[in-house]
Amino acid sequence: MQIYLLGEIQKLRADKLSREKTGSIIMSINQNLKKLKDREPKHDAEGYNDWEERYYEVKHLGEYADALANSVSSGDIDKINAAIDDIKAAAEDFQLIYGGLETWRIK
């Protein structure tokens, strides 16, 4: 069974969240960030600005995922819920603007 990042983020619940789940989300984002970095065009190439914008938005998703992991470690349910809301909003925005999160796999 394939598990995809967007679906997993949309299903996040504070009472069902684990370090393993947040770790898987972080790994998926980091793997895709690396793939994107490997496809970096030259600075003077036509698509560089679009690439750069997307790259930094993926980095921001990673920051939200890190904050989610930190909130889980804290055990504070209010922090966990806030972090879930933040990463859900960021993922929805990313999906709306760039698309693709529904194809990023979680291992």
Side-chain angles (χ1 to χ4, degrees), residues 8-71:
E8 285 301 297
I9 289 173
Q10 290 171 334
K11 293 187 294 187
L12 289 176
R13 290 181 29 195
D15 61 336
K16 302 277 183 176
L17 195 56
S18 66
R19 289 182 182 159
E20 292 79 16
K21 172 82 68 188
T22 58
S24 295
I25 290 170
I26 290 168
M27 284 177 31
S28 177
I29 293 169
N30 287 340
Q31 287 170 349
N32 284 285
L33 185 63
K34 183 183 180 325
K35 287 178 189 176
L36 190 57
K37 178 70 173 164
D38 291 344
R39 295 190 315 252
E40 179 179 359
K42 293 184 179 190
H43 290 300
D44 59 352
E46 183 177 320
Y48 182 80
N49 289 338
D50 293 336
W51 173 88
E52 183 179 41
E53 183 177 308
R54 183 179 180 103
Y55 180 81
Y56 284 104
E57 289 301 320
V58 174
K59 282 188 79 162
H60 289 306
L61 279 177
E63 291 168 2
Y64 285 113
D66 289 338
L68 180 63
N70 290 336
S71 72

Side-chain angles (χ1 to χ4, degrees), residues 48 65 70 73 88 95 98 102-103:
Y48 182 80
N70 290 336
S73 294
K88 282 182 178 182
Q95 183 64 22
Y98 303 103
E102 76 279 1
T103 63

